[in-house]
Amino acid sequence: MLTDRDELDCFLILAEELHFGRTAERMLLSRARVSQLVQRLERRVGAPLFLRTSRSVALTALGRQLRADLEPHHRAIAAALERAAATARASDGVLHVGFTTPPSGELVLKAADALRATHPGLVVEVCEVPLSDPYGLLRSGDFDVQIAEFPVREADLGEGPALLTEARVLALPAGHPLAGREAVTLEELAQVPLLTVAGDQPPYRREHQSPARTPSGRPIRRGPEVTNMQEALVLVAAGQGALLTSAHTREYYARPGVVYVPFSDAEPVGYGLVWRAADHTGAVRAFARAALHAAGRAATAPAGRRPAS
C-alpha cells in the first residue's frame, strides 16, 4: 500500500495537536485539505483513526497504535534527510581553516587534498593563526575551523580529539648552563626567565605557555612578551629568556645561538580542531573527517611528533 508523505505528516501533526485548525496552520494548508488528507489515509487503512465531534478530536485505539508505530520511523526519515542536506551544504563553498604550527598546517593541506576527491565543490583556504590572538579570527568568522594547541576551555568553542601530539622542549640561549643537558625538568624552569606571549591570553593558556611556578611551587621569572615565533627566538638567542615550546620548533626554526633541550617530565602537547560551537556546519564536519583520516596516515612524522592515538 503506497502512502503519500503528506498523509503521514498530517496524521502525526493532528495526533499531536488534536485540532484541525492548528494542524492546518503548521502545515500551511487549508482545514479542508487537512480533512481530505486524514480521510484519504483512513480509507487506505480501512478504519477511523480519529474520533471527531464539533468540539473535540481524539485518537481511536487504532490511531494510537499507528502513531506509536510511525513516530520512530518518521524521526529517522527526518534525521536522514537532515544529514543528506548537511552533506549537500558541505559540497560547495569556501571553508576557511586556520593553523597554529607548521605541522598543523601540513595536516590541514593533507585534509584539503583528501576533500577534493569527496567534495570537489568545497574550496579550503588556509591561513596562520596569530600567536597573540588564538581565537579572535575564529570568533569573528574569518576562520570556520582551526587546528589549535590544547587545552581549549572556551564556552563558545567546540573541539575535537587531538590530531597530533608533540613532546615539549625548552629553547635556551646556547651559552646557558642548561643548554648542554640531555634533558631538563619542569622544576628547573626556576633557573631561567620564560618569554610570555603578548595579547589577551586566557589565564589557563598563559599558565600552559609560561607557568608562574614550578611543580614544587618555586617562582618562575617572567621574560619579555613576544608576538610571534621569530621574535621569540631572536630574544632567546640574545639571552633575554627561554621559550617553552613544542618539539617541531627545533626542526622548523633551527637557528644559531638557540639550543632545544627536551623535558624528561613534561606532558606532551596535543593539537586538534576547534570551531564555533553554534556553527558546526556540514563543511566543518566533512573537514573534521578528512583531518582525522589524514592524521591517521601521518605515519612518517619526524621524531618528536607523532599522530595522536
Side-chain angles (χ1 to χ4, degrees):
M1 177 179 66
L2 296 177
T3 305
D4 191 286
R5 173 72 186 272
D6 286 344
E7 293 176 13
L8 299 182
D9 288 345
C10 184
F11 167 74
L12 289 171
I13 294 173
L14 183 57
E16 178 185 341
E17 295 286 355
L18 296 177
H19 192 281
F20 278 83
R22 290 194 295 271
T23 300
E25 290 175 3
R26 283 179 58 178
M27 296 191 71
L28 302 178
L29 299 174
S30 66
R31 292 183 61 156
R33 178 58 176 161
V34 169
S35 295
Q36 184 183 54
L37 289 170
V38 171
Q39 290 167 7
R40 196 163 71 187
L41 181 60
E42 288 177 328
R43 286 195 298 271
R44 292 182 191 277
V45 171
L49 300 172
F50 295 93
L51 297 173
R52 309 167 181 80
T53 70
S54 58
R55 296 185 178 182
S56 67
V57 178
L59 282 164
T60 64
L62 181 61
R64 290 193 296 272
Q65 174 190 318
L66 182 61
R67 181 187 187 187
D69 289 342
L70 282 178
E71 279 190 327
H73 302 289
H74 190 267
R75 287 194 297 269
I77 290 171
L81 289 171
E82 175 55 32
R83 287 193 297 270
T87 300
R89 289 194 298 270
S91 298
D92 295 288
V94 178
L95 188 72
H96 299 90
V97 182
F99 68 92
T100 51
T101 66
S104 64
E106 292 168 2
L107 182 59
V108 168
L109 293 176
K110 286 182 181 179
D113 285 342
L115 275 181
R116 291 192 186 99
T118 58
H119 298 77
L122 181 61
V123 177
V124 176
E125 293 191 355
V126 182
C127 190
E128 186 174 6
V129 177
L131 184 64
S132 58
D133 189 14
Y135 312 122
L137 293 176
L138 182 60
R139 287 188 167 118
S140 68
D142 291 272
F143 294 156
D144 299 298
V145 62
Q146 67 186 45
I147 295 185
E149 180 180 331
F150 289 164
V152 177
R153 300 170 187 157
E154 306 296 306
D156 60 328
L157 301 180
E159 64 180 87
L163 299 173
L164 293 171
T165 58
E166 292 190 71
R168 301 188 90 180
V169 298
L170 187 64
L172 289 158
H176 193 277
L178 294 176
R181 299 275 297 277
E182 290 187 3
V184 294
T185 67
L186 292 172
E187 198 62 35
E188 288 171 315
L189 290 177
Q191 300 180 32
V192 61
L194 282 183
L195 301 182
T196 59
V197 177
D200 187 17
Q201 305 286 326
Y204 70 86
R205 182 175 171 85
R206 188 173 294 279
E207 179 64 20
H208 179 73
Q209 293 172 332
S210 51
R213 294 186 177 275
T214 69
S216 71
R218 297 164 65 195
I220 300 172
R221 289 172 291 158
R222 296 287 188 185
E225 289 191 340
V226 297
T227 59
N228 59 68
M229 185 59 69
Q230 294 294 350
E231 180 183 349
L233 295 178
V234 166
L235 293 177
V236 171
Q240 297 192 31
L243 179 67
L244 187 58
T245 184
S246 301
H248 76 267
T249 311
R250 64 188 173 194
E251 301 165 32
Y252 291 88
Y253 298 98
R255 60 176 298 135
V258 177
V259 174
Y260 297 97
V261 183
F263 282 91
S264 62
D265 59 350
E267 291 293 323
V269 179
Y271 297 86
L273 292 177
V274 180
W275 57 84
R276 293 182 297 279
D279 196 16
H280 193 193
T281 65
V284 170
R285 288 192 291 272
F287 183 81
R289 289 191 294 270
L292 280 168
H293 187 62
R297 289 204 313 267
T300 58
R305 184 171 76 252
R306 54 186 171 83
S309 57

